[in-house]
Amino acid sequence: MSELFDAVDALVASRAPLPPAEERKRLRVAHGLTLEDVAGALKVRRATVSAWESIKKATEPRGPEREAYARLLKQLAELYPSPVSAAVPGSPAGAPAPSQAQALSADQVSVAAGMPAPENTQPPAPAAAGAPAAAPHPAARTSSRSVPPDAAKKAATSETPAGSADARFENGPLAVVDAVNGQVVAYCTGGLVLDVPAKTIPALVDWTLREAKLGAPKLAGPGKDADPLIVLTEAALERYGLPVTLTQDEKHAGRIPEGHKVIKQLARAEWKLTKRGFGPWARIYRPATGSERACVQLCIPSWNALDTRHWGDAGQLPPAELARVLGVYASRVMTPRGSTAVTGLELMTALHPPTRASEPDAAGRRHSEHNPGSLGKDPVDCAPCEAPDGHPLLKDLPRFHVRGPGEKLLEEAYDWARPMTDAECTLRYLVGIDVNMAFAAGANGLVVGLGAPTHVKNPVFDPKLPGSWLVDLSHVDLSRVKLGKDKWAELDAGLLPSPFTPKGEHPTGPAWYATPTVAYAAELGYEVHPIEAYVRYNNGRYLDGWYQRLRDAYLATMADLGAHADLPPEDFLAAMDGYKDRDPDLAIVVSAIKATVKGGLGKLRERPRGEGWRPGEPWRALSRPTWRPDIRAAVISRTRINLHRKIVKHAAFTGQYPIAILSDCVVYASNGPSPLDFLPYRDGKPLPGGFKLGINPGLVKHEGTQTVLWGEEVRERFDAPELNLARYIKDGTVTDTDSGE
C-alpha cells in the first residue's frame, strides 16, 4: 500500500503548482543560495535553473526535477513567507495584508517574527561586509517585513557605512518607490518595505525628509550628510503624473519642460530644482537654514539615469533587487549623486570638503575657513599647456592652429601595437592580462597640486614636485635601461613602446610631460634637463582617501563573489572564471565601482557639453574647483608608467615582449592559453616588480585568450599588421566595420 501512496504522491508532485518566476528567485536569494547550489542539488545545469527564474519567459521543470524543485520552494516559502502572508499569520497565500500607517522598527519586526533582535542594527565597516539579501516584491501595500535570522544577519552587515549609529538614517541611504495595485511602497536596503502615503511628488519629498529616515552620515568631519535618494519605478512615475520615458527633445535637453504640471506642483510647494532641472537625476531642495539641509535626490532609471555601460541591466531589475544593488554601492562608495562619473568626482569632495569651521574667535564665534588638503571652494586656472583645445587661455591662438607636443600636455593611456615576430608566430596563443583598477592604483600615494601653478624657467627637475615640464626625452634609449642600483638591462627597443607617448612612439624633441613621466626617464638612468615648467608648490596626496574608499568597495564586493585577496595564482584564476554569474546583482556593483574610478578622473577635465558653447569661451565645468586637468594627467601618467615598468621587468627577465597594449590590457604571445604559461612564477611567487596575479588594484587578472592564427587572420582582414588586438582579446569579436582606428 505504501508503494501505491508513494506513486500517488509522485504523480501529484509531478504536476505540483510552482510560484511565479520572481518568487522562485526571491526564495533562493533569501536563503543565500546561488544558481550553482540549486543546480547541483537537482542535478541540472545552472542555465536550467536560471531559465526557471526568468521573469521575461520562465520555463517549467518536468518530471522528478519538478517534484524536487517544488519541494525546495515549499520549504523555503515556510522559512521566508511572502510579505502578504507574513503580515497576517495564518492567512492564505494572496490574501491582502492590512494597511498600516507607519512601518515597524527593525527591532519590532524581529520581535514580531519571534527571532532575537540584533544587538546592533547598524552594520560594521563595508570592507568586512557580506552581500545584502534581496527583499521580496510585495503584492500589496505593506509595512516593513521580517526576514529569517540568516538573511537578516546577511543584510545587516552590508548596508551602511561603519560607525553609522545615527537614528536619522535608520532605514538606510535610499529607497526604490513603486506603485503596486494602486498603492505606493518604498523598498529600502536590508529587505525593509515601507508604506508611502504621499500622493504627489511634493508630498513624496516631504515624506522622505520627515518620516522615511533615509540618508547617510558624512564621510569626513567637515563634510555634509548624504541627502536621501528616491528611485522611481515606471509604475511610480505613472502614479505621480510623470512620463515613463522622455521624448527625443526632452532627452536632448536632459529634462522635462519647465511648464510640466509636476514642476508647477513643486513651485507651489516652494521647492526648487537645481540648474539641470527635472531630469534623470533631479535634486529637489529648499535653501538651507543654518546647518539643516532640506534636499532629496530623485533617480529615474527609465529616463536612462543608470547608464547600461556602467550599471548593466540594473534599471530593469525588480524594485527590491534594485534597492539591494544601489544600497551596496551607497554603503561602500557613497549614495549616488548622478552618473558614476559625477559620483566619482563628488566622492573626492565628500572626503576633502573645501571648508571647515574655524576655532572660536574672541567672541566665541566660528567662521568658515579653508580646509587644509582640499582643493578649496574657488576654481584655479590651469597652465596653458594643460588647457584642452578651445579653452579661454588659448583664445588668441590662430584659427585652426594645431598644438604639437611642445605646446600641449598629452598624458593619455596606451593604445599601441606592433607586428608579431617570426618566433611569436610559431606560438599557439595570444593571452591578454588586465590590470585591476589600474587608474585607482595610479592615484594611490600620488602627490598632486592643490593650488594654482607657478611658471619656472630652466628649473632643476624635482620628482617630488607635481607639475608639467617641457623637456627633451628623445635621448632615452630603451635598449639599455637601469633596473636598480648599478644594474642595467639590455633590451630589444624595437619590440617595446616608448613610455613617454600614448601611441608608444619615440619622442623627437621637447614635449610637455607630467612629473611621473619625467621621473621615470631619470629612473631608467638618463639625465633630464627641463626647459621650463608649471609647478605646484601647494600640493598633497589628495586622492589617497578616494583610492582607499574605492579599493575597499571593490575588494569587499569581489570577495562576496568568491574572488578573495591573497589567493594562490591557480585558485585566483579559477575564482575569476565566471564570477559574474555567481551573483549578477553584485557583478553590477563591481562594474559601477570601476566606472566610478574612470569617470571621476575623466570629470577632472570635463569638456563642453553643448549649451551653445564656442571655442575660446568658458564652459560650465570651469567654474568648479574640481576642474583640474593637471591631476587627471598626473594619474594617467603614473598609471602608464607603472605598466611600462612591469613590461620592462618582464622583458628583462623572460625575453618576452608585448604585442599590443590598450589602456590597462597587455597581450603576449604564449605556448599555453593561461597567464601562468608565460608569467614567471617560481614556487608560487611572481617576478619582483613584474606582473602578479591577484584581485588587489595594480595586480592583474586574465582578460582573454585567442589563437595566434586568429590574430593573424584579423590583421590580414583589415590589412593592418599593427591592428591593436588588445581591443578584441576578451571574446575575439571583431566587426567587419571596424577599421582598427
Side-chain angles (χ1 to χ4, degrees), residues 16 28 37 100 111 188 219 272 282 319 353 395 418 425 437 458 514 599 708 714 740:
R28 174 180 61 79
D37 293 336
Q100 298 185 20
V111 173
C188 305
L219 296 179
K272 297 180 180 295
K395 64 182 179 181
R418 63 169 175 82
C425 288
M437 299 273 282
N458 299 314
V708 167
V714 169

Side-chain angles (χ1 to χ4, degrees), residues 577-652:
D577 186 17
Y579 76 92
K580 294 181 180 180
D581 296 331
R582 294 179 198 130
D583 191 328
D585 291 353
L586 288 185
I588 292 173
V589 178
V590 171
S591 173
I593 292 170
K594 294 193 288 188
T596 302
V597 173
K598 291 186 177 181
L601 293 172
K603 277 281 185 180
L604 291 169
R605 200 190 69 157
E606 183 178 358
R607 301 303 306 277
R609 304 176 65 183
E611 301 177 342
W613 175 80
R614 294 182 179 180
E617 297 177 349
W619 57 92
R620 184 184 301 180
L622 300 187
S623 63
R624 296 193 320 247
T626 49
W627 192 83
R628 293 295 301 273
D630 57 299
I631 296 179
R632 173 188 177 274
V635 173
I636 294 177
S637 163
R638 192 164 187 244
T639 303
R640 193 182 67 246
I641 293 306
N642 285 346
L643 183 59
H644 195 274
R645 185 182 292 111
K646 288 180 172 63
I647 290 170
V648 165
K649 290 283 182 67
H650 185 86

Side-chain angles (χ1 to χ4, degrees), residues 120-174:
N120 178 15
T121 59
Q122 301 302 328
H137 185 69
R141 191 177 185 180
T142 68
S143 66
S144 58
R145 63 175 290 273
S146 62
V147 290
D150 291 345
K153 181 178 179 182
K154 189 176 182 182
T157 57
S158 59
E159 292 298 330
T160 55
S164 174
D166 197 325
R168 297 174 300 163
F169 312 129
E170 67 179 32
N171 291 334
L174 57 89

Side-chain angles (χ1 to χ4, degrees), residues 297-328:
Q297 175 136 351
L298 301 184
C299 168
I300 305 178
S302 65
W303 294 5
N304 198 34
L306 302 175
D307 192 324
T308 55
R309 293 172 298 176
H310 310 138
W311 289 101
D313 63 353
Q316 306 300 318
L317 293 175
E321 291 187 44
L322 180 56
R324 181 195 181 211
V325 168
L326 294 176
V328 174

Side-chain angles (χ1 to χ4, degrees), residues 28-29 32-39 49 53 581-583:
R28 174 180 61 79
V29 172
L33 299 175
T34 66
L35 291 170
E36 287 84 355
D37 293 336
V38 177
V49 180
E53 295 182 359
D581 296 331
R582 294 179 198 130
D583 191 328

